[in-house]
Amino acid sequence: MLLAGDFGKAPATRCCSENGDQRKNIKEKSDINIAALVGNERVCEGTDNGDLPSYVAEFIEKEVGNDLKSLKKLDKLIEQMTESKMQLEEQVLTVSSEIPKRIQSALKNAEESKQFLNHFLEQENHLFSSINSHLLTAQPWIEDLGAMINQIEEIERHLAYLKWISQIEELSDNIQQYLMTNNVLEAASTLVSMAELDIKLQESSCTHLLGFMRATVKFWHKILKDKLTSDFEEILAQLHWPFIAPPQSQTVGISRPASAPEIYSNLETLFCQLLKLQTSDELLTEPKQLPEKYSLPASPSVILPIQIMLTPLQKRFRYHFRGNRQTNVISKPEWYLAQVLMWIGNHTQFLDEKIQPILDKVGSSVNARLEFSRGLMMLVLEKLAADIPCLLYDDSLFCHLVDEVLLFERELHSVHGYPSTFANCMHILSEETCFQRWLTVERKFALQKMDSMLSSEAAWISQYKDITDVDEMKVPDCAETFMTLLLVITDRYKNLPAASRKLQFLELQKDLVDDFRIRLTQVMKEETRASLGFRYCAILNAVNYISTVLADWADNVFFLQLQQAALEVFAENNTLSKLQLGQLASMESSVFDDMINLLERLKHDMLTRQVDHVFREVKDAAKLYKKERWLSLPSQSEQAVMSLSSSACPLLLTLRDRLLQLEQQLCFSLFKIFWQMLVEKLDIYIYQEIILANHFNEGGAAQLHFDMTRNLFPLFSHYCKRPENYFKHVKEACIVLNLNTGSALLLRDVLQSTSGQPPATAALNEVGIYKLAQQDVEILLNLRTNWPNTGK
């Protein structure tokens, strides 16, 4: 082998002391066992890369090296290599002997598979020809058999058809027999079965059978309905139905006959029999519905006995409120609305006490009183749908109609418990043309109301100015009237059935708020020169009140529901960013946030203008105080009693007068913001313009401390418990200026030696300094003139 030969040359030059036989023997052994030495991954890589000689050289160097005694290991190495070689040869022989056997087996299997495939192909061809031959032979039989099957199926259909006809005729005969024996209940039950069969046959294509079934049902239904209706109306007449008089006088007429129990028994029997006809009645009678534009909720027809009970009232309603009757006046919708409410009230007791137990007894889920009300409501809805187009463009008539309808709806729901999920007048008002007109009228009258309330002489005067407990907000009349207007609008539209309609009204309210804010801003600009005047403060109170009320409304359940509806609309239309949608969904913002933000900005601007005005007056009054000779004032020990600096009197008097004035004119929350804003500016002003601009001897520092702590700070003690905490700069400056000399020297040394270190902060905190920075304290210490003479 070439590699083995190359491998054998490497150690020959290194082992120069060996004889030629030994080298030859080693070479031969190496040639035989080279595969064993280089059988690992590293040797393979070396072989591939041409580094085998170097690897062998490293191996010999490692095993033998320069030590001739190590040559004793050669025999052992040769034995190991020989054994490894034999193992490798056995493996090679085993593999070389197994592979041909496997190949041979695979070839044999392939040959057998090919034979099976050919055999199957032959069978497939044979079967294919046999099947074709069989089909050709059986084709006439198939045609004959198919014709017979069709005839059988047709006969079966005929039989089924005849069975249906027989079943219908049987039911019809049964009804006839029951009627002949005056068994109306069984006749009605059989009619129910016939009506159910009619419903099952609806999907059938047998039009004649359907027509026969429907005609039969209609025939018997009319007979039974006419008979039961006549008997039922006779019983109702004995009970003096309908009750036109108030409920108090009904019991006299009802309980007078001695046969009253028998009458109520017959009433129950006939009522139950009429209920049996409900299925066939719904099948035959198309319910009278208003056009789809009114989007009335789907609801079943009124049950048959209640329909019969409603018939005389429907006749009365149509007689009085349709045609040329004097009671049918388009400008008086309250007449027919009040009439319907009165009818509901008059019959409630009878329906609850006499009819509802019958329904409960037969297991019906119908509420008699609501069913009766639902039937009367259809009369109202039809009347509204007919009248509204006639007065749509007469603002006063239309507005009056809406007002009366809303009052009617309120009483209907609150007094008579009529569910808002049933068809009601709000569905008629929600029709597109009518609704848009409603919005226009609401906007028009709201703007007119705003004009009148702002032009009123009492617009800026609080109605409750003489009642302290009620007048906490000091709300001017115009603001309270405006929010009442918004509240009334909310009450008017809150029962609208569609959320989209409510959102349109909400937008109207937001527009009105914005319009009112603009009007307030215009009036405020006229009063800018008198920013402390009564009207200016009233405007500020109005802005604060509206903002507060809107913030309260934002947490109301009704507006939270509108917020959820708005979220869905905005998400569909992609009108808001993902951040805004997230804020709405998480309730971080509300539907009134835009309005509240604008009002809060206006409030802040107006308060800032007031604070600036008062601050300018205070600065003018403080001119003499700024020029006080703080360097030459007598010490506290030289004065019998400390007194206020005379130069500070104008400053404090001005401040006191303005605080009292604004406390009376602004509400508590606004005044609190005002004085806190003023104190913040005043604190900085006194600190920078008076304290830092002067030097102080001991008497001057004591006088400043007395003026501030005993005179300025107490001015605000009525508004908070610790007013000095709002004058942090002034308070701490007075502390620094009034430290005794020893403490001041010690503090100065600490500050100079530990600039910006924690010990400096601790030293400042120890003397009560928390707000001022270390550099500020050092400046204040340098303003003191009462330092001892150290000779330096």
Side-chain angles (χ1 to χ4, degrees):
M1 293 173 58
L2 179 60
L3 288 176
D6 294 340
F7 169 72
K9 294 176 183 178
T13 57
R14 303 175 70 93
C15 303
C16 57
S17 61
E18 298 177 2
N19 55 34
D21 294 336
Q22 288 176 327
R23 287 195 300 272
K24 182 179 180 181
N25 191 21
I26 292 171
K27 182 177 182 298
E28 291 175 353
K29 300 289 186 180
S30 299
D31 290 344
I32 294 170
N33 297 295
I34 187 61
L37 287 171
V38 295
N40 56 30
E41 181 182 356
R42 186 176 171 189
V43 172
C44 293
E45 292 177 357
T47 303
D48 294 339
N49 298 330
D51 293 337
L52 183 60
S54 61
Y55 176 75
V56 173
E58 290 178 4
F59 177 77
I60 297 299
E61 181 69 24
K62 179 180 177 182
E63 297 294 334
V64 179
N66 296 327
D67 188 5
L68 296 178
K69 294 181 181 181
S70 300
L71 294 174
K72 296 178 181 180
K73 300 179 181 179
L74 289 177
D75 292 337
K76 187 175 181 180
L77 288 172
I78 291 171
E79 290 178 2
Q80 293 176 354
M81 294 178 185
T82 302
E83 184 178 353
S84 299
K85 176 186 175 186
M86 292 175 65
Q87 292 177 354
L88 292 173
E89 287 176 347
E90 288 178 1
Q91 293 178 3
V92 171
L93 289 174
T94 301
V95 171
S96 61
S97 62
E98 287 180 355
I99 290 176
K101 291 180 181 179
R102 293 180 180 176
I103 294 174
Q104 188 65 28
S105 176
L107 291 173
K108 184 178 179 182
N109 291 336
E111 187 65 28
E112 291 176 354
S113 299
K114 182 178 179 182
Q115 292 176 1
F116 279 121
L117 180 60
N118 291 332
H119 178 67
F120 287 145
L121 289 173
E122 291 176 0
Q123 289 182 345
E124 189 266 343
N125 291 330
H126 177 69
L127 287 173
F128 182 75
S129 60
S130 299
I131 290 170
N132 286 336
S133 175
H134 180 73
L135 288 174
L136 290 173
T137 305
Q139 185 64 34
W141 300 350
I142 293 173
E143 293 176 356
D144 295 342
L145 187 61
M148 294 176 66
I149 291 173
N150 290 335
Q151 291 176 2
I152 292 171
E153 289 178 348
E154 186 176 359
I155 291 171
E156 287 180 344
R157 287 196 296 272
H158 291 168
L159 286 174
Y161 197 93
L162 291 173
K163 286 181 180 178
W164 277 105
I165 293 176
S166 175
Q167 191 172 1
I168 295 169
E169 289 180 341
E170 182 181 355
L171 291 172
S172 181
D173 292 341
N174 290 339
I175 293 174
Q176 185 176 8
Q177 291 176 6
Y178 288 134
L179 289 177
M180 291 174 65
T181 58
N182 204 27
N183 192 346
V184 180
L185 182 60
E186 287 299 328
S189 300
T190 307
L191 182 59
V192 172
S193 301
M194 187 181 292
E196 291 174 350
L197 286 180
D198 191 326
I199 294 171
K200 289 180 181 179
L201 281 173
Q202 291 302 311
E203 297 180 0
S204 173
S205 59
C206 302
T207 55
H208 295 293
L209 178 62
L210 289 174
F212 175 66
M213 168 69 83
R214 182 60 56 85
T216 307
V217 172
K218 186 175 182 180
F219 174 78
W220 290 117
H221 176 78
K222 185 177 186 307
I223 291 174
L224 285 171
K225 182 178 179 181
D226 290 346
K227 175 176 175 54
L228 292 175
T229 300
S230 176
D231 295 343
F232 192 60
E233 288 177 345
E234 184 178 345
I235 293 296
L236 290 176
Q238 294 178 24
L239 295 172
H240 305 284
W241 182 274
F243 307 140
I244 305 304
Q248 294 79 7
S249 59
Q250 293 173 15
T251 55
V252 177
I254 294 175
S255 60
R256 184 184 44 175
S259 58
E262 182 181 353
I263 294 176
Y264 287 120
S265 176
N266 293 335
L267 174 71
E268 180 178 350
T269 301
L270 291 169
F271 195 95
C272 293
Q273 291 173 350
L274 283 169
L275 277 179
K276 290 283 188 179
L277 301 184
Q278 185 66 31
T279 304
S280 56
D281 191 70
E282 292 177 357
L283 193 66
L284 298 171
T285 307
E286 285 290 334
K288 191 174 182 181
Q289 294 181 345
L290 291 172
E292 293 183 0
K293 65 179 181 179
Y294 295 112
S295 302
L296 296 180
S299 59
S301 58
V302 177
I303 60 174
L304 186 56
I306 298 292
Q307 288 183 32
I308 298 170
M309 297 171 73
L310 284 168
T311 301
L313 294 175
Q314 292 170 343
K315 291 179 179 178
R316 285 174 177 269
F317 188 90
R318 293 189 178 100
Y319 176 83
H320 288 291
F321 304 114
R322 290 190 182 179
N324 299 323
R325 301 294 173 185
Q326 293 182 352
T327 49
N328 184 26
V329 182
I330 198 170
S331 61
K332 297 293 183 180
E334 61 269 26
W335 288 358
Y336 65 83
L337 295 174
Q339 183 66 70
V340 168
L341 288 174
M342 185 178 70
W343 284 344
I344 293 174
N346 290 349
H347 297 87
T348 295
Q349 182 179 353
F350 178 81
L351 292 168
D352 288 343
E353 295 179 359
K354 304 302 180 183
I355 303 300
Q356 190 61 47
I358 301 175
L359 291 168
D360 296 339
K361 189 174 181 179
V362 298
S364 175
S365 60
V366 174
N367 184 300
R369 177 163 44 85
L370 294 182
E371 196 76 353
F372 183 79
S373 301
R374 194 158 65 90
L376 289 178
M377 273 301 297
M378 287 307 299
L379 295 173
V380 175
L381 299 186
E382 292 171 4
K383 176 66 175 172
L384 280 176
D387 284 358
I388 284 178
C390 301
L391 47 79
L392 202 57
Y393 298 101
D394 188 320
D395 289 350
S396 59
L397 289 181
F398 182 79
C399 189
H400 176 66
L401 173 69
V402 172
D403 290 340
E404 292 298 330
V405 166
L406 293 175
L407 291 173
F408 169 78
E409 283 286 319
R410 184 177 304 168
E411 184 173 351
L412 186 67
H413 294 299
S414 61
V415 177
H416 302 291
Y418 190 81
S420 57
T421 54
F422 284 7
N424 56 64
C425 300
M426 303 307 287
H427 290 93
I428 305 297
L429 295 181
S430 295
E431 188 269 326
E432 182 64 27
T433 305
C434 178
F435 182 77
Q436 294 302 327
R437 187 60 185 164
W438 184 10
L439 273 180
T440 303
V441 171
E442 286 284 355
R443 186 187 301 274
K444 175 183 176 181
F445 282 100
L447 293 175
Q448 290 178 358
K449 184 69 174 176
M450 288 163 58
D451 290 337
S452 63
M453 70 176 71
L454 287 173
S455 59
S456 170
E457 294 182 359
W460 307 109
I461 301 174
S462 172
Q463 297 178 6
Y464 313 105
K465 61 180 180 178
D466 298 326
I467 310 174
T468 307
D469 295 338
V470 180
D471 198 34
E472 290 182 359
M473 298 287 287
K474 293 184 170 61
V475 187
D477 182 65
C478 63
E480 187 169 5
T481 306
F482 175 71
M483 294 312 293
T484 303
L485 172 66
L486 290 185
L487 186 61
V488 169
I489 292 176
T490 303
D491 289 337
R492 290 161 71 85
Y493 79 82
K494 69 187 303 183
N495 290 322
L496 283 169
S500 59
R501 299 301 192 198
K502 296 177 184 177
L503 289 174
Q504 292 183 57
F505 258 105
L506 178 63
E507 288 301 317
L508 168 63
Q509 288 180 302
K510 292 166 70 173
D511 291 344
L512 293 176
V513 172
D514 197 47
D515 188 273
F516 194 72
R517 177 188 62 83
I518 293 172
R519 293 172 186 239
L520 290 178
T521 305
Q522 292 171 346
V523 179
M524 179 269 293
K525 289 179 179 179
E526 297 174 0
E527 302 293 328
T528 302
R529 294 184 179 180
S531 57
L532 303 183
F534 168 76
R535 179 173 290 191
Y536 191 92
C537 292
I539 297 170
L540 185 52
N541 287 328
V543 172
N544 178 68
Y545 175 70
I546 296 172
S547 176
T548 303
V549 173
L550 290 180
D552 290 339
W553 285 3
D555 296 329
N556 184 277
V557 174
F558 173 72
F559 289 107
L560 290 176
Q561 291 171 345
L562 282 188
Q563 180 173 339
Q564 182 61 33
L567 178 64
E568 296 173 1
V569 173
F570 293 147
E572 290 177 1
N573 300 335
N574 293 323
T575 53
L576 292 181
S577 65
K578 291 183 178 180
L579 175 61
Q580 291 171 316
L581 287 175
Q583 289 175 338
L584 275 175
S586 62
M587 302 300 174
E588 292 181 8
S589 61
S590 71
V591 291
F592 295 112
D593 268 9
D594 294 340
M595 297 296 100
I596 293 174
N597 292 337
L598 291 173
L599 290 167
E600 287 295 317
R601 187 184 304 171
L602 176 60
K603 180 176 78 174
H604 181 267
D605 292 344
M606 294 181 71
L607 278 172
T608 302
R609 189 174 286 109
Q610 285 187 325
V611 170
D612 291 343
H613 182 94
V614 174
F615 185 63
R616 284 195 301 271
E617 291 185 349
V618 170
K619 285 199 299 184
D620 291 340
K623 288 179 180 178
L624 293 176
Y625 194 62
K626 285 175 62 177
K627 297 177 182 179
E628 187 70 50
R629 300 180 64 185
W630 304 103
L631 278 171
S632 58
L633 293 178
S635 64
Q636 188 172 1
S637 59
E638 297 174 5
Q639 302 181 53
V641 178
M642 290 288 291
S643 61
L644 174 65
S645 300
S646 58
S647 58
C649 290
L651 162 66
L652 296 178
L653 287 173
T654 301
L655 194 57
R656 183 201 65 181
D657 293 342
R658 291 311 185 191
L659 287 174
L660 290 174
Q661 176 186 352
L662 291 173
E663 184 183 13
Q664 294 175 355
Q665 294 182 351
L666 295 179
C667 70
F668 175 77
S669 59
L670 286 176
F671 180 70
K672 182 178 179 181
I673 299 172
F674 166 80
W675 73 256
Q676 289 180 355
M677 291 174 63
L678 180 62
V679 163
E680 184 178 356
K681 295 174 72 70
L682 195 58
D683 180 41
I684 298 298
Y685 172 74
I686 295 175
Y687 176 70
Q688 292 180 349
E689 301 295 329
I690 297 178
I691 297 177
L692 294 182
N694 290 283
H695 286 75
F696 297 84
N697 64 357
E698 182 180 355
Q703 185 63 49
L704 176 69
H705 184 266
F706 181 82
D707 293 342
M708 297 296 105
T709 59
R710 299 294 297 277
N711 295 278
L712 176 63
F713 297 170
L715 279 178
F716 298 90
S717 61
H718 180 63
Y719 315 125
C720 62
K721 292 182 178 180
R722 300 181 65 84
E724 63 273 12
N725 290 336
Y726 291 92
F727 290 89
K728 292 186 182 296
H729 291 87
V730 174
K731 170 189 170 184
E732 294 183 2
C734 289
I735 292 175
V736 174
L737 293 175
N738 285 277
L739 283 174
N740 61 56
T741 305
S743 298
L745 286 170
L746 182 60
L747 179 61
R748 185 171 65 175
D749 292 342
V750 171
L751 295 180
Q752 291 176 353
S753 61
T754 58
S755 177
Q757 298 300 319
T761 303
L764 291 174
N765 293 345
E766 187 175 349
V767 296
I769 308 299
Y770 299 94
K771 177 71 174 179
L772 296 178
Q774 179 178 335
Q775 295 83 352
D776 296 330
V777 176
E778 291 177 353
I779 293 172
L780 288 169
L781 289 173
N782 290 330
L783 297 179
R784 293 169 56 114
T785 59
N786 56 330
W787 294 107
N789 187 2
T790 58
K792 294 183 181 181

